[in-house]
Amino acid sequence: MFSSIHLLQPHLLSLLRIISSLVLFSYGTQKILLFPAAASVPPVGSLSWVAGLIELTLGFLVLIGFQTRIAAFVLSGLMAFAYFIGHASKGFFPAQNGGVAAILFCFVFLYLVAAGAGPFSVDNLLKRGRTTVAA
């Protein structure tokens, strides 16, 4: 079993990208599109609202796998920023300061900067299209 599990790696990379970005995208839809309904919504133009706009737009780009490395780089920085602005001041331990999701998102998106989008992505379709035209 373990001798052939490495064959799943590219597909699991795509799955990690899709699920992570879908969860982040849902935070953006909640802040910007008001879906699903939230107890509080950030005022338009506030720092949280701008973060929601970035989560919505770049989260969608990572979800479909378009310009993944660039979008993931910005999202990784956004999540680091969110952790230090919104959570770190509440205590050292992420489990106590509410910053677990921000840290995980930061490092998952940082990994996607290095690893790319995987086979199930617009980036991969465009790359295959360029190699076909060049051949």
Side-chain angles (χ1 to χ4, degrees):
M1 177 180 149
F2 290 113
S3 62
S4 62
I5 199 157
H6 71 279
L7 299 173
L8 292 175
Q9 186 273 335
H11 306 293
L12 293 175
L13 170 61
S14 288
L15 186 62
L16 175 69
R17 174 187 51 81
I18 291 165
I19 297 301
S20 299
S21 61
L22 188 60
V23 172
L24 187 77
F25 178 74
S26 73
Y27 285 112
T29 62
Q30 191 171 35
K31 292 174 189 168
I32 304 301
L33 304 176
L34 311 178
F35 179 81
S40 66
V41 178
V44 174
S46 68
L47 191 60
S48 292
W49 186 86
V50 171
L53 192 60
I54 294 169
E55 291 164 354
L56 184 70
T57 55
L58 297 185
F60 180 73
L61 290 181
V62 174
L63 176 64
I64 65 171
F66 181 67
Q67 297 294 317
T68 304
R69 292 177 194 267
I70 296 166
F73 179 76
V74 175
L75 287 173
S76 178
L78 176 70
M79 292 297 102
F81 185 74
Y83 180 78
F84 287 109
I85 295 296
H87 300 285
S89 63
K90 296 176 185 172
F92 180 76
F93 299 104
Q96 293 176 328
N97 68 23
V100 172
I103 289 174
L104 288 174
F105 278 131
C106 178
F107 284 97
V108 166
F109 288 120
L110 186 61
Y111 175 70
L112 292 175
V113 172
F120 305 124
S121 65
V122 173
D123 288 344
N124 191 48
L125 287 173
L126 293 174
K127 184 173 70 172
R128 283 192 298 170
R130 282 192 298 263
T131 58
T132 304
V133 172

